[in-house]
Amino acid sequence: MRAAFFQEMGKPLSVGSVADPTPQADEVIIGVARAGICGSDLHITQYGAVPPGTVLGHEFAGEIVALGSGVMGDWRVGDRVTALPIHACHHCDACDMDLPALCSQVQFTGTQANKPGAYAQFVAARASMLQRLPSGVSIDEGGMVEPLAVAHHTVEMGAIRKGEAVLVIGAGPIGAAVTLFARLAGAAHVVVSEPSAARRTLAMELGATATIDPKAEDVGARFRALTGRAPQVVFECVGIPGLIQQTIQLAGVRGRVVVAGVCFGEDSITPLVGFSKEVSVQFSQCYTEKNFEQVIDLIARGEAKVTPMHTQTVGFAELPDTFEALRTAVGQCKVLIDPTRA
């Protein structure tokens, strides 16, 4: 099959032929119709955190083309699906709590050579992780379910109460989707701090009540001017050193901070700032099967209108250059790969 894979740090993705996947007993093979380019793919290739030859891609949707011998349930060839890209051990504390994404030995599709990802014509997925795509969910929307589930889980961790004032730091794919789900959760104010004008516009399309340019305005003062108070919930969706401290400073009395941005370096905070207001800090990693189910249902019922997030679709020919351009692009949100294109 055709696939795009990581070569080595400093080199673009290589597109070529690799072996077709064969399903283990508990797996299905999905013919990939759409795969998403994730910020984490950019990070792990930038730092060489995956071995050469790894086929990337953990966001995907398509049709089942083959089933393993042990697959249970009513799955059939031709079913439209997405899946949690998770391979868990099933016997650690997290697995016992039905939290496979937090498994101590978890393997994610597309992050290592032995679990090839969806930058390819076909990808293997555990049948237990499959999610059916109903007719009300397009294949483009199906390709975005995984990052949308990340954002849905992030908002879930924030436990927004109806009428609260929310601040979202960053309007990349996760921050943009957090904006959408925060409004659906009942927040009266969802203010997005984002330096890119294009992303601020996108945030407004997804339900933000206002935006702030952090390069031109004092975020805390502007938020109070817009809402009449300090943020009750702050979502950090960027992941650079210093932002956790900033969110603690911005949060109001007994405010909740949810950290969804993945910082790959060390960071530091001044605990006294949080103590003085009894601020809670919660980290949010991945999702559960329920988040996938709820996102799919919200899209199918027309409540979550996610189309504005989809900014480009590319084939294999464009993929290496597009992938590298996304390292510095600020006007893009979610770029999808169509493996049926050249």
Side-chain angles (χ1 to χ4, degrees), residues 4-9 13-14 44-45 48 50-56:
F5 51 88
F6 173 65
Q7 297 185 77
E8 59 183 85
M9 284 194 302
L13 299 181
S14 179
I44 61 178
T45 54
V50 290
T54 299
V55 178
L56 302 169

Side-chain angles (χ1 to χ4, degrees), residues 8-338:
E8 59 183 85
M9 284 194 302
K11 289 190 176 182
L13 299 181
S14 179
V15 177
S17 295
V18 299
D20 290 353
T22 56
Q24 301 294 318
D26 63 345
E27 293 180 336
V28 305
I29 302 300
I30 298 169
V32 180
R34 296 291 186 274
I37 299 177
C38 178
S40 65
D41 296 336
L42 302 174
H43 288 307
I44 61 178
T45 54
Q46 180 180 356
Y47 296 107
V50 290
T54 299
V55 178
L56 302 169
H58 56 274
E59 308 172 3
F60 52 85
E63 293 186 358
I64 295 175
V65 298
L67 298 94
S69 60
V71 172
M72 308 294 288
D74 60 350
W75 298 110
R76 299 289 183 270
V77 169
D79 287 347
R80 296 169 71 250
V81 296
T82 183
L84 282 73
I86 293 172
H87 303 265
C89 73
H90 300 301
H91 57 254
C92 69
D93 290 347
C95 288
D96 289 344
M97 296 168 67
D98 199 23
L99 297 171
L102 304 183
C103 168
S104 61
Q105 301 177 56
V106 69
Q107 294 180 309
F108 282 88
T109 298
T111 60
Q112 47 222 53
N114 68 330
K115 299 295 181 188
Y119 289 14
Q121 292 175 298
F122 305 101
V123 67
R126 274 192 169 173
S128 60
M129 295 286 100
L130 288 175
Q131 296 282 331
R132 198 179 303 276
L133 297 178
S135 58
V137 178
S138 72
I139 203 65
D140 285 337
E141 291 167 332
M144 296 192 288
V145 166
E146 196 272 354
L148 289 166
V150 171
H152 189 276
H153 182 66
T154 299
V155 171
E156 183 179 62
M157 293 291 96
I160 295 171
R161 293 182 283 270
K162 187 174 182 179
E164 287 193 310
V166 170
L167 174 64
V168 181
I169 306 291
I174 301 305
V178 163
T179 300
L180 170 69
F181 292 125
R183 284 307 304 277
L184 290 177
H189 302 278
V190 179
V191 181
V192 178
S193 173
E194 166 59 53
S196 163
R199 286 182 169 178
R200 292 198 300 272
T201 298
L202 173 63
M204 294 298 292
E205 291 183 55
L206 292 167
T209 54
T211 61
I212 299 170
D213 180 354
K215 291 185 176 180
E217 302 175 280
D218 179 282
V219 175
R222 183 60 178 154
F223 187 96
R224 186 173 286 276
L226 289 165
T227 68
R229 59 165 305 128
Q232 291 161 287
V233 187
V234 184
F235 294 102
E236 194 280 281
C237 303
V238 179
I240 59 175
L243 277 183
I244 296 177
Q245 175 65 22
Q246 182 183 349
T247 59
I248 294 171
Q249 291 171 333
L250 289 167
V253 174
R254 289 196 171 177
R256 285 104 66 203
V257 169
V258 183
V259 181
V262 181
C263 181
F264 283 81
E266 292 186 358
D267 204 352
S268 61
I269 64 170
T270 304
L272 187 59
V273 176
F275 273 114
S276 68
K277 297 182 288 186
E278 292 191 346
V279 172
S280 300
V281 179
Q282 169 80 56
F283 289 85
S284 179
Q285 202 264 1
C286 278
Y287 32 62
T288 65
E289 293 171 70
K290 192 69 175 176
N291 295 123
F292 266 65
E293 294 169 6
Q294 290 171 331
V295 165
I296 292 168
D297 183 59
L298 286 168
I299 295 172
R301 290 192 283 113
E303 292 187 35
K305 300 184 185 301
V306 302
T307 301
M309 291 181 58
H310 176 206
T311 50
Q312 187 180 8
T313 301
V314 300
F316 281 130
E318 304 165 87
L319 177 54
D321 288 344
T322 300
F323 189 89
E324 291 305 312
L326 285 172
R327 297 189 190 280
T328 55
V330 294
Q332 292 279 23
C333 187
K334 181 49 62 179
V335 177
L336 298 177
I337 303 163
D338 179 354

